Amino acid sequence: MFTSEAAWMTFDEKERGSLEPGKISDLVILNMNPLDLDPKNLKKLKCEQLLLSGKPYRPGQGISSMLFKSLFRRKKKI
């Protein structure tokens, strides 16, 4: 999988890369499969639910601050 291999390459496999208890996860649930859509119909693709760092995102919550917290919450040194 792209996600687990990308986490491994950045030494984050203990914190990210797969859906397991205790790991950080971002998840997008879409209303349609984008791989099955004709490129002309991509505008019909909608986000049904968004989870950032495993927490539900609500409109008006400030996505940039949530992303910032998610990225800089790490405690390990590189």
Side-chain angles (χ1 to χ4, degrees), residues 53-68:
S53 296
K55 297 177 184 169
Y57 171 77
R58 291 175 203 87
Q61 194 170 5
I63 193 165
S64 58
S65 65
M66 284 187 74
L67 289 172
F68 183 81

Side-chain angles (χ1 to χ4, degrees), residues 5 8 10-11 14 16 21-23 36 41 43 45 49-51 55 60 64 66-67 76:
E5 290 175 7
W8 179 80
T10 59
F11 305 102
K14 291 181 181 176
R16 304 169 189 266
K23 288 192 173 184
D36 292 340
N41 293 326
K43 290 183 179 182
L45 194 60
Q49 189 172 6
L50 174 62
L51 296 156
K55 297 177 184 169
S64 58
M66 284 187 74
L67 289 172
K76 70 178 184 178

